[in-house]
Amino acid sequence: MRQAIVVKGLGKRFNRYSADRPYTIMEAALSGWGRMKPQARFWALRDINFTVSPGEMLGILGKNGAGKSTLLQLLGGIGTPEEGTIKVNGRIGGLLDLGAGFHSDLTGRENVLVGAVVAGLTRREAARRFDDIVEFAELKQFIDSPMRTYSTGMQMRLAFSVAVHTDPEVLLIDEYLSVGDVAFQTKCLNRIAEFKTQGCAIVLISHSATQIQKMCDRALWLKSGEIVAYGEPEVVAGQYLSEMRSETEKRTPMRPPEVTSTGSQLRVNENRFGSLEVEITDVKVLPDEEINSGDAITIEIHYSVPKPIGAAIFGVVISREDGQSCFETNTNQMGRLLPLAEGKGTIRLHVDRLDLGNGQYYVNAGIYEKSWAYAYDYHWHVYPLYVRSTVHQKTILCPPYRWEFQGKMQVADLPEPATKTHALNKNNPGYAKISTQLKNKQQPDFLIIGAQKCGTEPLSGYLANHLQMIKEGSREIHFFELNFERGVEWYSKQLTRSVAGEKVLLWETTPYYIYHPLVAERVYKCFPNVKLIVMLRNPVKRAWLHYNLEVAIGCEKLEFEKAIASEPDRLKGEIEKIKADEGYYSFNHQHYSYLSRGIYVEQIKNWLDYFPREQLLILKIEDFLANPGQVFSEVLDFLDITASAIKEYEINNIEDYSKMPPEIEQQLTDYFKPYNQELSDLLKEDFTWS
Amino acid sequence: MTSVPTRVYRRKIAHFFDLLRVLVDRDMKLLYKRSALGIAWTLINPLLQLAVFSFVFRSVIPINIPQFSSFAFSGLLIWTWSQTALFQATGLITSNKALIRQPNFPTAILPVVTTMTGLIHFLLALPVLIIFLAVDGVEPSSVLFLLPLLMVIQFVLTVGLAYPLAALNVTFRDTQHTLGVLLQMLFYLTPIFYDLNNVPKEFQPFYQLNPMVPLIEAYRAILLKGTQPDWQALLIVSLVVAVILPLGLAIFRRQSNTFVEEL
């Protein structure tokens, strides 16, 4: 990114003249030109380096005569430096002088126009913005009075208003913000904040360290023309204040560098700031200085108190190498001030998970005076922390995340195209009859409608192996819920066609059908005579398998317990939306319905609203696995066909998922118990899975 | 489509002229803000001077110059423009601190503004001069079209001289007073109410050192005599101006920087 201001090695030298330096031509001629020469030269600024990027705000702190205003002037192109370079990109707006060249004999109106043009607007632009300027300054009724009738506050308001209405890309503000009433000050500060978000680079001079701490992204402390500290406002302002304080109390702590337990050097005013009334003796990052993103860490601050302190605030900031603060907290936030007794102590901050992006960070620890006036001790960029993450993009945060898609997932849900067509044996005695049926038949004979993860696949496999396949149709056509607008004609082309004896059977398997609220009605309207096969499983087990499936395909990032806990939220209003809008696709309904899909009784009831009980065959996978032959013959009876195995089919029932935590299993068992009981009562068969 | 740099450049030019206009406007307003007579004040000063001269040089010490009113009034107007502009410009840096301290304010525009204000007064007084010329029976001639050229030369000359003077005033605050005395002397040493031809031959070369002399002579050639001006003399003046202007500007810039830095 292009920086708005780049200052490199800046130095400004002033001349100091003797007090009796001639001020008139006569004197000079009489006393000789030698007295005109400066007696001494001094550097008002030396070796100043900083950058301000667009949208950034730099605060400059320092006492009178520290060179703040000189620096601001040089930035504004007033005067030329003796050393180094200043580069300012963009239009400069500034409030360097109260009054901005206003003339006391002219009216407010005249002065505004002059001021706006002087500030860089054309006359037309100035005229166009005139009303805004006056309105912002709240001086409408005085605008045609001469400037000499204005109070200082009013003049400042008008000057500020002009300055902020000139679209500056770089705004320089000397400490005039302190002029004027509080309400207007707030207005100005808001306006400045607005500029900042619009990408305006701002340099602000202030006496108030608190103001700089509150408003600025960076701070720079000047002392006798040199930079004492440049960096985070909190650090610099705290440091400035602590020096102001220690100066008055004559105890500026300067001591030789100390070494921390991790081997880093602590150097006062470089990475250590504060009055040292309380000292941080060590900071430990536990369990390790290197963690994985999302891990928990504990930050342990060891401190020693030479003299009791009434109240103190502990603070921790985790920042990036460039100083960007990523996480910040302090003991004040929990509303507690900690009184510190003499001696040593330890305070720990536990962070349950630190979801930071890959990279190098620092743990900064500080102990502050109870009103944040200054720091007792602050260690900055001393304790490293490396966070490992699989996401290597430039990102500060790396929280658990997932993508969610609203709208139809056409591509994902498109059925695979029908593939194999088996030639029919023409020697088959019923060949003519079968081929007529194949030509004419469009309607499905039966549907395997679910439920998901309940063994519909082995059942289909079993059927495919016992029937003579003419055409293997698409797997999971999802016609009635996701592809309904494609029409029945399209649908019948996707169906599997097989032959049993002299009978041709059209069928398909889509486990989402049973659960989708619109399907039963649609199936009934299209094919009221179709037979429906339902395969069920213990809903506790089903939920676990479903969860592991979602994890495997990357749709689920939560722990199982959290996933089922957040299910009500995830599904909230989804069914209503599906019912209200036929075109609505609900990702959550399809994917995050671990428990809801297991409440079979409600789904079966829905189907029984349209179809008579005899048209449904409801099976349990547990029975099927235990005794496939018997259950399968039930299926054949239901379909009114006879068939024998063409080749041996092995049920693939490998579950390499880990076991569900037993306490959740118990919890879920209890959860499903009443529903299972209700289902058993409804169907007059045992579906309790106990 | 114009390229971005061209547009930026054009905007800068447009802004410079807007700034000039606004500042001239400001100067005019300030001049007449508390004066009941308003713009008429511009005329009263040269007219009063003319009345005195007419009385002295017609009745007290008669000098034989035909069309004396037109002759003296034209000289007065021309001189007044440069004199006022130079006198005011000398105090520019010191009296416009607030403006100079605006970021990126083109300080060098200030003497231009003052000279421009003088030019406007000059133009406003022109109709009165025309009346005098008409009364004196001077026929307008085609060389009048050269008038703007002379004004441009005088304008640049005045700005060129204003720069170093304003700069000098930063170091020596009595520059303006000293200049006032000097200008008063020069007023008498310039053929304003007398004819250059009446100056003795041995003093003529000294008169040629004053760049205002060929200018006033050229104005009078155009206005009163209806003849071509002395082109050679004008060329020399132009060359002098071409040297003074950049030099003066450089000194002015340096001094205005020092000024805002040190105060």
Side-chain angles (χ1 to χ4, degrees):
Chain A
M1 185 170 49
R2 202 168 83 139
Q3 299 289 346
I5 303 175
V6 182
V7 174
K8 271 191 200 148
L10 180 71
K12 176 73 208 170
R13 193 175 48 202
F14 285 152
N15 298 329
R16 194 177 276 133
Y17 297 97
S18 68
D20 56 350
R21 179 196 185 200
Y23 264 97
T24 63
I25 300 173
M26 279 304 244
E27 276 174 39
L30 290 173
S31 62
W33 297 104
R35 297 255 297 281
M36 291 302 295
K37 291 218 175 88
Q39 279 198 324
R41 293 175 159 189
F42 69 99
W43 290 94
L45 289 171
R46 196 82 199 261
D47 201 20
I48 307 291
N49 294 288
F50 64 86
T51 55
V52 186
S53 42
E56 198 180 33
M57 188 159 180
L58 173 73
I60 300 179
L61 275 167
K63 292 198 288 189
N64 286 335
K68 291 172 295 172
S69 296
T70 308
L71 179 56
L72 210 59
Q73 278 175 26
L74 288 172
L75 288 177
I78 303 158
T80 42
E82 266 73 31
E83 282 182 354
T85 53
I86 299 176
K87 223 166 145 189
V88 178
N89 295 312
R91 180 141 41 135
I92 304 177
L95 275 178
L96 271 57
D97 254 328
L98 182 57
F102 286 166
H103 201 287
S104 58
D105 283 342
L106 294 179
T107 65
R109 179 184 302 276
E110 288 159 348
N111 271 314
V112 164
L113 289 176
V114 174
V117 174
V118 166
L121 294 185
T122 61
R123 282 177 56 242
R124 210 201 297 171
E125 287 165 340
R128 218 182 307 140
R129 288 173 206 195
F130 181 80
D131 288 341
D132 291 341
I133 294 174
V134 177
E135 196 177 317
F136 186 86
E138 299 165 15
L139 288 170
K140 205 163 183 171
Q141 66 267 45
F142 304 107
I143 201 64
D144 287 311
S145 316
M147 199 51 108
R148 72 185 110 86
T149 62
Y150 284 37
S151 70
T152 318
M154 284 158 80
Q155 285 188 32
M156 180 264 161
R157 262 149 65 176
L158 205 57
F160 184 88
S161 186
V162 170
V164 298
H165 281 88
T166 53
D167 300 335
E169 287 157 297
V170 173
L171 190 63
L172 310 174
I173 306 167
D174 213 334
E175 43 204 333
Y176 296 112
L177 274 181
S178 45
V179 183
D181 56 296
V182 178
F184 191 75
Q185 267 183 46
T186 318
K187 197 168 167 180
C188 293
L189 295 179
N190 289 343
R191 187 64 186 229
I192 289 171
E194 211 175 288
F195 269 121
K196 212 161 101 61
T197 55
Q198 286 165 6
C200 178
I202 302 168
V203 180
L204 169 87
I205 286 186
S206 182
H207 270 317
S208 157
T210 345
Q211 190 178 45
I212 282 187
Q213 204 171 329
K214 220 167 24 185
M215 294 176 64
C216 298
D217 305 302
R218 294 244 159 170
L220 189 154
W221 172 12
L222 278 182
K223 190 171 162 188
S224 316
E226 282 176 46
I227 294 181
V228 181
Y230 170 52
E232 283 183 287
E234 180 206 317
V235 177
V236 179
Q239 166 64 359
Y240 174 74
L241 285 169
S242 80
E243 165 148 328
M244 294 300 101
R245 182 184 153 93
S246 36
E247 240 175 41
T248 51
E249 298 188 0
K250 297 280 177 224
R251 45 190 176 95
T252 316
M254 282 306 288
R255 49 169 84 184
E258 291 169 27
V259 178
T260 66
S261 63
T262 49
S264 307
Q265 276 210 346
L266 280 174
R267 291 175 303 271
V268 171
N269 284 0
E270 270 179 58
N271 57 9
R272 174 178 215 178
F273 308 99
S275 66
L276 302 186
E277 282 162 84
V278 181
E279 273 183 63
I280 297 175
T281 50
D282 199 6
V283 175
K284 286 189 177 124
V285 181
L286 304 169
D288 197 15
E289 286 169 17
E290 237 182 282
I291 61 161
N292 289 317
S293 180
D295 280 1
I297 64 162
T298 295
I299 294 157
E300 202 172 82
I301 304 172
H302 299 264
Y303 61 90
S304 84
V305 188
K307 254 193 266 169
I309 295 277
I313 302 169
F314 285 79
V316 168
V317 178
I318 296 176
S319 66
R320 261 189 340 207
E321 270 189 307
D322 62 1
Q324 168 75 52
S325 161
C326 304
F327 170 64
E328 198 173 338
T329 184
N330 60 67
T331 52
N332 205 26
Q333 284 170 350
M334 56 178 193
R336 274 188 66 187
L337 292 167
L338 305 168
L340 301 180
E342 200 180 315
K344 288 178 191 301
T346 308
I347 187 164
R348 286 185 199 87
L349 169 70
H350 300 284
V351 180
D352 290 344
R353 55 181 304 151
L354 196 65
D355 293 309
L356 288 177
N358 200 69
Q360 179 70 57
Y361 297 84
Y362 285 98
V363 173
N364 310 308
I367 307 177
Y368 304 88
E369 194 268 339
K370 62 177 186 303
S371 59
W372 292 107
Y374 60 96
Y376 291 135
D377 198 1
Y378 183 74
H379 292 190
W380 186 72
H381 277 206
V382 176
Y383 309 101
L385 171 69
Y386 193 83
V387 177
R388 282 181 303 251
S389 160
T390 47
V391 182
H392 281 277
Q393 269 80 16
K394 268 197 161 180
T395 167
I396 299 180
L397 277 183
C398 188
Y401 67 97
R402 64 190 160 76
W403 290 92
E404 189 179 313
F405 183 74
Q406 296 276 345
K408 259 188 185 177
M409 277 201 173
Q410 276 293 18
V411 183
D413 286 313
L414 260 189
E416 294 160 29
T419 47
K420 298 167 198 164
T421 307
H422 299 264
L424 189 66
N425 186 2
K426 292 188 181 169
N427 298 331
N428 191 318
Y431 176 72
K433 199 174 168 190
I434 291 168
S435 57
T436 332
Q437 281 184 61
L438 275 175
K439 243 184 251 162
N440 299 332
K441 208 165 180 186
Q442 301 294 333
Q443 304 204 349
D445 294 274
F446 68 96
L447 304 174
I448 302 175
I449 58 170
Q452 181 209 35
K453 297 306 293 176
C454 291
T456 53
E457 203 170 315
L459 179 61
S460 316
Y462 227 82
L463 275 163
N465 246 22
H466 284 73
L467 306 175
Q468 194 183 359
M469 297 297 282
I470 304 300
K471 188 181 158 206
E472 272 177 39
S474 305
R475 290 174 63 202
E476 303 204 9
I477 300 173
H478 285 287
F479 170 66
F480 293 99
E481 78 290 45
L482 307 182
N483 290 300
F484 196 57
E485 79 284 351
R486 290 176 174 240
V488 178
E489 209 172 305
W490 172 85
Y491 177 56
S492 68
K493 281 191 196 129
Q494 312 297 319
L495 293 168
T496 299
R497 281 141 217 264
S498 42
V499 176
E502 289 186 353
K503 204 170 171 188
V504 170
L505 292 166
L506 273 59
W507 58 284
E508 64 128 334
T509 306
T510 300
Y512 191 24
Y513 285 167
I514 188 173
Y515 177 59
H516 196 279
L518 301 179
V519 171
E521 188 185 352
R522 285 174 175 174
V523 172
Y524 179 75
K525 279 185 180 154
C526 299
F527 312 109
N529 298 318
V530 74
K531 289 180 177 173
L532 305 165
I533 301 177
V534 177
M535 186 73 94
L536 299 179
R537 185 194 290 274
N538 182 347
V540 179
K541 183 79 190 255
R542 198 214 73 81
W544 179 243
L545 293 175
H546 182 182
Y547 168 74
N548 281 291
L549 170 73
E550 299 296 346
V551 171
I553 63 174
C555 290
E556 183 59 84
K557 296 278 184 216
L558 300 182
E559 302 283 319
F560 182 55
E561 201 174 351
K562 281 194 182 146
I564 55 175
S566 49
E567 184 172 324
D569 279 342
R570 283 166 159 186
L571 297 188
K572 198 173 180 187
E574 291 297 310
I575 289 181
E576 288 72 11
K577 283 189 205 162
I578 292 170
K579 284 183 178 164
D581 174 10
E582 298 215 334
Y584 178 74
Y585 167 75
S586 170
F587 180 91
N588 284 10
H589 184 261
Q590 190 177 7
H591 292 271
Y592 298 141
S593 40
Y594 309 118
L595 300 188
S596 169
R597 280 197 194 221
I599 304 174
Y600 304 130
V601 60
E602 287 177 3
Q603 300 163 36
I604 300 281
K605 271 184 186 166
N606 179 35
W607 285 86
L608 289 177
D609 284 347
Y610 299 95
F611 294 92
R613 175 71 183 88
E614 307 80 65
Q615 231 164 298
L616 271 84
L617 176 65
I618 300 168
L619 304 167
K620 280 181 278 190
I621 184 70
E622 289 86 355
D623 296 347
F624 187 53
L625 292 176
N627 199 344
Q630 194 194 324
V631 173
F632 191 64
S633 70
E634 243 182 277
V635 174
L636 295 180
D637 284 348
F638 175 67
L639 297 176
D640 206 10
I641 50 171
T642 53
S644 51
I646 292 167
K647 55 184 180 191
E648 210 43 54
Y649 179 76
E650 208 173 306
I651 296 173
N652 179 7
N653 195 34
I654 301 164
E655 292 165 14
D656 49 2
Y657 302 130
S658 54
K659 289 289 263 183
M660 195 190 320
E663 65 278 6
I664 301 177
E665 190 169 359
Q666 188 52 50
Q667 195 187 322
L668 290 187
T669 307
D670 294 345
Y671 173 81
F672 283 117
K673 204 171 181 176
Y675 299 115
N676 291 343
Q677 189 56 52
E678 198 183 340
L679 183 66
S680 306
D681 295 346
L682 179 75
L683 301 178
K684 301 192 176 57
E685 202 187 322
D686 180 31
F687 281 98
T688 55
W689 284 283
S690 51
Chain B
M1 277 295 281
T2 46
S3 64
V4 174
T6 322
R7 250 184 293 149
V8 170
Y9 188 67
R10 261 193 213 160
R11 194 187 185 284
K12 271 194 171 158
I13 300 274
H15 179 248
F16 184 86
F17 282 107
D18 277 357
L19 186 61
L20 185 62
R21 186 167 160 190
V22 164
L23 290 176
V24 168
D25 200 36
R26 182 179 96 129
D27 267 9
M28 300 289 285
K29 276 183 183 140
L30 283 173
L31 270 176
Y32 301 113
K33 205 73 190 178
R34 293 192 203 171
S35 154
L37 289 167
I39 222 84
W41 192 245
T42 327
L43 285 172
I44 288 174
N45 191 25
L47 281 174
L48 282 175
Q49 271 183 297
L50 181 65
V52 174
F53 287 153
S54 298
F55 169 70
V56 173
F57 297 113
R58 274 188 179 150
S59 315
V60 186
I61 330 163
I63 52 170
N64 188 23
I65 291 177
Q67 304 153 335
F68 185 78
S69 314
S70 306
F71 181 88
F73 193 65
S74 59
L76 274 171
L77 283 187
I78 297 158
W79 179 259
T80 308
W81 172 18
S82 285
Q83 185 189 22
T84 317
L86 284 180
F87 186 76
Q88 281 176 359
T90 305
L92 276 181
I93 302 183
T94 34
S95 61
N96 280 298
K97 190 181 159 209
L99 272 183
I100 297 171
R101 279 168 61 89
Q102 286 297 298
N104 284 349
F105 180 77
T107 319
I109 204 174
L110 289 173
V112 181
V113 170
T114 312
T115 313
M116 184 65 88
T117 313
L119 173 64
I120 288 169
H121 289 145
F122 179 74
L123 292 174
L124 287 172
L126 269 185
V128 183
L129 179 63
I130 289 165
I131 294 169
F132 276 108
L133 288 170
V135 171
D136 283 338
V138 177
E139 296 281 321
S141 83
S142 58
V143 285
L144 273 179
F145 292 107
L146 289 170
L147 201 59
L149 177 71
L150 295 183
M151 296 199 294
V152 168
I153 296 174
Q154 194 188 348
F155 190 99
V156 182
L157 172 70
T158 311
V159 173
L161 289 171
Y163 280 134
L165 286 171
L168 191 63
N169 194 50
V170 174
T171 320
F172 301 112
R173 294 298 154 81
D174 64 342
T175 306
Q176 205 171 25
H177 304 286
T178 316
L179 182 74
V181 178
L182 277 174
L183 285 173
Q184 195 59 38
M185 279 162 61
L186 275 174
F187 173 75
Y188 292 104
L189 292 177
T190 307
I192 291 165
F193 52 86
Y194 56 90
D195 197 334
L196 184 62
N197 296 327
N198 295 345
V199 176
K201 273 273 175 303
E202 59 265 42
F203 294 110
Q204 291 273 347
F206 294 105
Y207 272 77
Q208 292 307 328
L209 287 177
N210 180 353
M212 285 305 285
V213 175
L215 264 174
I216 291 183
E217 288 301 303
Y219 272 111
R220 284 189 177 142
I222 288 171
L223 288 167
L224 287 114
K225 297 178 196 148
T227 59
Q228 292 277 333
D230 179 354
W231 287 111
Q232 199 196 336
L234 281 181
L235 186 69
I236 293 170
V237 174
S238 307
L239 288 176
V240 169
V241 165
V243 175
I244 289 176
L245 186 70
L247 208 70
L249 185 60
I251 303 172
F252 179 82
R253 285 226 168 103
R254 224 188 101 205
Q255 284 294 82
S256 63
N257 271 344
T258 324
F259 174 73
V260 285
E261 283 164 9
E262 296 192 358
L263 260 181

